Amino acid sequence: MKPMTETASLRRIETGVPGLDTILRGGLLQGGVYLVEGSPGCGKTLCANQICFHRAGLGENTVYVTLLAESHTRMIAHLRGMQFFRSELAGTSVYYISAFKVLEANGLDGLVQTIQQSIDQREASFLVLDGLVSAEEMAPSAREFKKFVHELQTISGMTGCTIVLLASSERPHRVRPEHTMVDGLIELGETQVGAHSIRYIAVRKLRGAAQLRGRHALEITIAGVRIRPRLETRLRGAEELEPKTPQDVTLAAFGIPGLDAMLHGGLPRGSNTIVFGPSGSGKTLLCTQFLAAGVREQQRSLYLGFYERPAGLLDKDRRLGLGLAEARAQGLLHLMWETPIEGVIDAVVDRLLEAVVQREIQRVCFDGLHGFRHHAEYPDRTRALFTALADELARRGVTSIFTLETSDLFGSRIELPIEGVSALAENLILLRHVELRSRLHRVISILKLRDHDYDSSIREFQITDRGVVVADAFDSAERLLTGAAHVVPDPD
């Protein structure tokens, strides 16, 4: 290959691994040397092969050099089941070379010569050296091993071939000399969250770019490796949101006369609302009526549930007659469901935002922030995730409602399971059960509404065969929000 110029050396190459180029801020540096470390089974070999086939698919030649005992036949047999694998490229554009015997016979000098010849003979633009630990074990000294890494840098700089070194992270010293020499250090690993095992990737070092720092979820499917960059690191910050001028603010009604009267017309469009209350208080039904009202105005709406499956929602619709089934058939309503047991929360958000963009969604109901929390591998991320998602929806002009279940059915205190999230919400609606005269009543109250006047009275509401009906205020009782109301005596 031709020697690289200084300008060409700054060019970045795409890896073809979904999400990886995002956290690398554009890809790998052409002619750079990168070290990928990780424990067994974390996806190093699969990720490197995926990049090889992506580059080969673009018309380039790539080389995969192994220093491991595993045969290439066995490796390729495992790769054949992956969607990125193309049999016509294996052996013609993706070359597999075993250098284990070369290393044993001729040491590091022989290995360097083999790598140099492989790049020159095949005019390779990308090379993987799988099994760096074997080269380190064969090095006569630490100095000779550093010299070996330096020679690889010289080869990559002269030829423009990007080199990726794969190594086990289960080595005696956490910080090693080669970490300071390479252009990038990428860590793959696995962490346990209770009984849940989650793969992750972290870019510890990257020359020439400001990478998205921290851990990001890594998924392995039949499609190969996919990285899910953390939502809060890649969406626009609040300072980048375009401020809405007062004349741009319009209202999104619930289609429930009593509630819309309390809201003085509806929720500000593009705002986010948390509806919170105990189980059975009517949160999901309130959301579905909000979506149905949007559909009647020909606004495309989306429901994402963690506990209520689409089939159950449509079954309720048959009884209530909200028209959700018809709206779904017309493409005005999109229903999504995510299991609250295990998963990667960034994958959930990606699917939601994908649907919002592709379907031009204007109203969203996110039914179950508690399920959102269960998905988060680090529950403390929930506040940041909610903020980032709500801001992104607002930037796109989407009016969103998030439901959140409180733990206590009754009591004088109302505690939210996600600390601080109420302060981040623009609008807050509280649903509550109260006991009065040996009967349970449902009440609704607006605690907060962004830049818009509202009725702060506490009103009773009922769930009927036509949906939620909001009645008049409780003028004859007090202490309603404690869950144990008492009747106000008539004045003499």
Side-chain angles (χ1 to χ4, degrees):
M1 297 184 66
K2 295 180 180 179
M4 296 181 61
T5 64
E6 184 178 351
T7 303
S9 67
L10 299 177
R11 177 176 172 264
R12 294 196 168 269
I13 64 168
E14 296 178 353
T15 64
V17 177
L20 181 55
D21 293 331
T22 301
I23 65 174
L24 292 173
R25 295 295 181 106
L28 301 173
L29 184 69
Q30 183 183 9
V33 178
Y34 295 86
L35 177 58
V36 178
E37 291 188 328
S39 55
C42 63
K44 300 186 299 295
T45 299
L46 187 63
C47 186
N49 273 284
Q50 193 168 340
I51 299 173
C52 284
F53 277 92
H54 174 72
R55 301 309 305 176
L58 297 176
E60 300 177 7
N61 290 333
T62 63
V63 177
Y64 197 104
V65 181
T66 61
L67 301 178
L68 308 173
E70 182 182 29
S71 69
H72 294 156
T73 302
R74 188 174 182 83
M75 180 189 292
I76 292 174
H78 290 308
L79 293 174
R80 285 189 184 278
M82 310 306 295
Q83 290 177 354
F84 67 78
F85 181 82
R86 292 170 59 182
S87 56
E88 73 275 12
L89 296 179
T92 58
S93 297
V94 181
Y95 299 93
Y96 290 92
I97 298 172
S98 176
F100 185 71
K101 290 183 178 179
V102 172
L103 179 62
E104 280 190 318
N106 303 314
L108 295 180
D109 289 340
L111 179 57
V112 169
Q113 187 177 4
T114 298
I115 291 173
Q116 176 77 69
Q117 290 175 349
S118 299
I119 293 173
D120 290 341
Q121 291 173 4
R122 295 169 176 83
E123 296 187 339
S125 64
F126 185 79
L127 180 139
V128 176
L129 179 61
D130 193 350
L132 186 66
V133 66
S134 298
E136 184 180 19
E137 290 171 351
M138 293 295 292
S141 65
R143 183 175 180 277
E144 288 298 315
F145 182 66
K146 289 178 67 175
K147 179 184 175 184
F148 165 71
V149 176
H150 177 71
E151 288 176 336
L152 292 181
Q153 288 180 308
T154 301
I155 292 172
S156 64
M158 292 297 294
T159 63
C161 179
T162 306
I163 297 178
V164 171
L165 312 173
L166 306 185
S168 172
S169 58
E170 298 176 352
R171 293 187 283 172
H173 302 290
R174 181 66 177 166
V175 180
R176 308 186 62 79
E178 62 269 25
H179 291 176
T180 64
M181 302 175 68
V182 294
D183 295 295
L185 175 60
I186 301 172
E187 176 190 342
L188 304 186
E190 197 168 24
T191 186
Q192 291 290 130
V193 181
H196 188 192
S197 180
I198 299 172
R199 291 187 177 96
Y200 69 85
I201 183 171
V203 182
R204 301 297 184 192
K205 171 186 175 182
L206 189 66
R207 287 176 179 159
Q211 74 272 25
L212 296 187
R213 300 188 65 83
R215 290 184 175 184
H216 307 271
L218 183 152
E219 297 176 304
I220 295 179
T221 67
I222 193 172
V225 171
R226 183 185 184 103
I227 312 300
R228 297 287 185 177
R230 295 197 329 280
L231 177 73
E232 59 271 34
T233 65
R234 57 192 167 93
L235 295 184
R236 294 188 184 188
E239 69 279 0
E240 296 179 81
L241 295 178
E242 298 174 4
K244 292 183 173 63
T245 56
Q247 59 265 31
D248 291 333
V249 177
T250 54
L251 301 177
F254 275 84
I256 303 171
L259 178 56
D260 289 333
M262 293 177 69
L263 294 167
H264 291 186
L267 299 172
R269 288 192 178 175
S271 67
N272 67 77
T273 303
I274 292 183
V275 176
F276 62 102
S279 177
S281 57
K283 299 184 296 297
T284 299
L285 184 55
L286 204 64
C287 285
T288 53
Q289 289 194 241
F290 176 74
L291 297 181
V295 165
R296 287 194 293 272
E297 295 182 19
Q298 298 299 301
Q299 294 180 2
R300 297 181 182 275
S301 303
L302 182 149
Y303 173 89
L304 171 64
F306 286 91
Y307 302 102
E308 187 77 67
R309 295 173 183 263
L313 205 66
L314 294 175
D315 186 54
K316 288 181 181 178
D317 175 57
R318 280 190 286 272
R319 300 194 303 270
L320 298 173
L322 298 176
L324 300 184
E326 293 82 355
R328 188 187 191 190
Q330 294 168 8
L332 288 173
L333 177 65
H334 183 52
L335 303 180
M336 298 174 64
W337 180 77
E338 298 284 346
T339 171
I341 302 171
E342 285 192 3
V344 175
I345 191 59
D346 296 291
V348 174
V349 173
D350 281 345
R351 288 190 284 270
L352 170 65
L353 292 178
E354 241 173 61
V356 166
V357 173
Q358 292 176 0
R359 297 172 181 270
E360 299 180 341
I361 298 296
Q362 295 166 278
R363 294 192 183 199
V364 164
C365 171
F366 196 106
D367 193 10
L369 269 177
H370 204 64
F372 192 61
R373 181 180 175 86
H374 282 311
H375 263 69
E377 57 271 33
Y378 305 104
D380 291 344
R381 283 186 62 203
T382 310
R383 281 187 63 198
L385 280 165
F386 167 76
T387 303
L389 175 58
D391 284 348
E392 180 66 10
L393 291 173
R395 187 177 73 84
R396 297 183 178 279
V398 178
T399 311
S400 57
I401 293 183
F402 299 79
T403 68
L404 181 58
E405 184 173 326
T406 54
S407 55
D408 296 328
L409 288 173
F410 301 97
S412 57
R413 296 186 63 187
I414 302 173
E415 294 186 5
L416 296 182
I418 304 174
E419 184 180 354
V421 75
S422 59
L424 302 173
E426 294 175 308
N427 315 313
L428 289 174
I429 298 177
L430 171 65
L431 306 183
R432 194 84 164 110
H433 290 115
V434 300
E435 184 271 331
L436 183 65
R437 294 193 181 99
S438 300
R439 285 187 56 199
L440 278 180
H441 298 260
R442 291 185 175 92
V443 296
I444 185 170
S445 179
I446 300 166
L447 303 185
K448 176 179 169 184
L449 196 62
R450 185 198 75 187
D451 300 330
H452 189 59
D453 195 19
Y454 62 93
D455 180 355
S456 60
S457 63
I458 301 170
R459 299 198 182 195
E460 182 179 11
F461 74 93
Q462 297 175 342
I463 297 178
T464 71
D465 58 359
R466 302 302 295 173
V468 171
V469 176
V470 176
D472 294 332
F474 262 102
D475 295 328
S476 60
E478 60 184 20
R479 300 184 63 189
L480 293 169
L481 295 187
T482 67
H486 68 262
V487 177
V488 178
D490 293 330
D492 293 333

